[in-house]
Amino acid sequence: SVDGSMLKITAKKEPYTDQGYTKQYTSARLNSKFAFKYGRVDVRAKVPIDQGTWPAIWLLGKNVNEDGGYFDALYGTTNWPACGEIDMMEHGITPSQPTNYVQSALHTPSSSGNTSNIGGTIANNLGTAFHVYSMNWSPNQITFLLDGVAYYTYNPANKTASNWPFTEEQYVLLNIAMGGVAGTISSTFSQTTMEVDYVRIYQNTTVDTQIPTN
């Protein structure tokens, strides 16, 4: 829903039946209709920290073969993880870390699923305060930032299709997943919300190589 200028993704405890399956929770995954290559992404959001929830801000290759995806019919030629996945922010899937720990990760053919390409940091007042989650993506490296402070950079020295599929356009996704690798959902859970103030994408379209003369 949109409340004023705020986007709200709400996960609820409620039975829902679709395609012959009944689930006990509903939520949403929003796939953007804009894809880009290289640039900076800033997302100002407040994310839930309820037990068993998995809020995420992430990107997938525009070429991902995913039935129902916005780009799939025209561009879906590549299976995951060869399409590349960039996880800007995830919370709730690192039980060995404290509650306020947010993680960033890269999924590639050389390291997918339980990937080794991860980094993280502590976000103060995570569940009650807004933070700006950012990513700088260039042909050379991908850096993740929290409130403007860099905490993890991925930059394999020898870039191949196996460890660097990030040469094609990607698009942004926002969602809250429930349970699974996020652990057991509390029996007292009723609903929770991710609030998104803005998603901003910046790109350099022209490189200025001129030396100023004055």
Side-chain angles (χ1 to χ4, degrees):
S1 63
V2 177
D3 183 359
S5 61
M6 197 71 63
L7 169 67
K8 295 186 175 182
I9 299 175
T10 301
K12 296 181 179 181
K13 183 176 183 179
E14 58 179 355
Y16 181 79
T17 301
D18 182 56
Q19 299 178 31
Y21 292 93
T22 299
K23 303 296 181 68
Q24 300 305 312
Y25 302 90
T26 61
S27 186
R29 187 178 96 171
L30 304 186
N31 296 12
S32 63
K33 297 181 179 181
F34 173 75
F36 65 99
K37 183 172 75 170
Y38 307 139
R40 179 183 175 101
V41 181
D42 290 338
V43 180
R44 185 174 186 266
K46 181 168 65 176
V47 302
I49 58 173
D50 307 71
Q51 178 182 323
T53 63
W54 179 5
I57 301 169
W58 53 302
L59 300 93
L60 277 175
K62 177 181 176 180
N63 58 354
V64 64
N65 179 11
E66 183 177 56
D67 291 343
Y70 178 72
F71 296 106
D72 182 61
L74 290 178
Y75 303 102
T77 61
T78 307
N79 292 332
W80 186 91
C83 63
E85 176 180 326
I86 304 172
D87 297 330
M88 286 178 53
M89 186 287 302
E90 296 177 290
H91 179 266
I93 59 171
T94 52
S96 62
Q97 300 289 349
T99 297
N100 286 330
Y101 181 83
V102 290
Q103 176 175 280
S104 300
L106 291 306
H107 296 273
T108 68
S110 65
S111 182
S112 60
N114 188 20
T115 179
S116 59
N117 303 320
I118 57 174
T121 189
I122 299 294
N124 293 328
N125 305 314
L126 183 64
T128 57
F130 281 86
H131 293 278
V132 178
Y133 303 96
S134 304
M135 175 199 68
N136 283 332
W137 173 24
S138 78
N140 303 311
Q141 64 185 35
I142 298 174
T143 297
F144 300 93
L145 308 91
L146 174 67
D147 296 328
V149 179
Y151 59 88
Y152 175 57
T153 295
Y154 178 68
N155 56 350
N158 180 30
K159 293 179 173 61
T160 66
S162 181
N163 65 18
W164 189 263
F166 308 110
T167 57
E168 305 291 337
E169 291 184 334
Q170 298 240 333
Y171 63 94
V172 176
L173 303 95
L174 308 168
N175 70 273
I176 304 174
M178 299 293 296
V181 296
T184 303
I185 303 166
S186 172
S187 60
T188 61
F189 178 86
S190 59
Q191 69 177 54
T192 196
T193 300
M194 174 196 285
E195 299 184 53
V196 181
D197 184 18
Y198 59 72
V199 177
R200 297 174 179 171
I201 298 172
Y202 305 88
Q203 288 185 277
N204 285 328
T205 56
T206 303
V207 177
D208 184 0
T209 60
Q210 301 300 311
I211 299 175
T213 57
N214 54 24

